[in-house]
Amino acid sequence: MTGLASRLILIAVGQTNMPMHNPPHPGEILLEDVIPALDITITEMARRLGFARETFSRILHGRAPVSPDLAVRLERAGVSTGQLWLSMQSAYDLWQTEHREQPVIERFARID
């Protein structure tokens, strides 16, 4: 699973020193990469992680975020680190937010 681990890190950090272009939802990574690599069913993985299958399915299909609880459970199961999963979720959320209409905000501070 070393190739998978490398891909997870690149996605999470989005840091190939270039801005991430529409990062995938971390549930998509679980569905398309992790679950097949583990040769486990969605139902079995949900059970082992202590999630209802329906809840887990919503995450896998990008309709719900990876929560801190799921991130910690994935880490305890040996599927990368909780920080990595939360970083991927944060990158996804930020990109989605930046690419939808926002109100005009006038800069009023500069804190570095």
Side-chain angles (χ1 to χ4, degrees):
M1 206 151 105
T2 55
L4 175 59
S6 317
R7 180 163 184 239
L8 290 176
I9 290 168
L10 286 175
I11 290 168
V13 228
Q15 294 166 1
T16 48
N17 290 331
M18 297 187 306
M20 178 62 77
H21 183 71
N22 195 6
H25 187 283
E28 180 182 334
I29 303 302
L30 285 168
L31 182 63
E32 294 179 6
D33 296 316
V34 175
I35 291 173
L38 296 174
D39 194 29
I40 192 171
T41 66
I42 293 170
T43 302
E44 179 65 13
M45 189 159 180
R47 184 189 67 74
R48 288 180 176 219
L49 292 171
F51 277 85
R53 189 200 185 289
E54 297 76 22
T55 302
F56 194 55
S57 182
R58 290 185 68 235
I59 295 164
L60 297 178
H61 292 95
R63 293 189 300 272
V66 168
S67 66
D69 281 336
L70 177 56
V72 167
R73 293 176 196 194
L74 287 166
E75 181 173 338
R76 289 182 180 169
V79 185
S80 197
T81 66
Q83 184 63 50
L84 186 74
W85 290 106
L86 291 179
S87 293
M88 284 192 281
Q89 185 64 55
S90 180
Y92 174 83
D93 291 342
L94 188 58
W95 194 93
Q96 295 298 316
T97 301
E98 288 175 340
H99 289 86
R100 69 174 170 251
E101 195 168 323
Q102 297 289 330
V104 176
I105 305 293
E106 181 182 325
R107 181 179 293 271
F108 60 90
R110 181 170 179 99
I111 301 173
D112 293 326

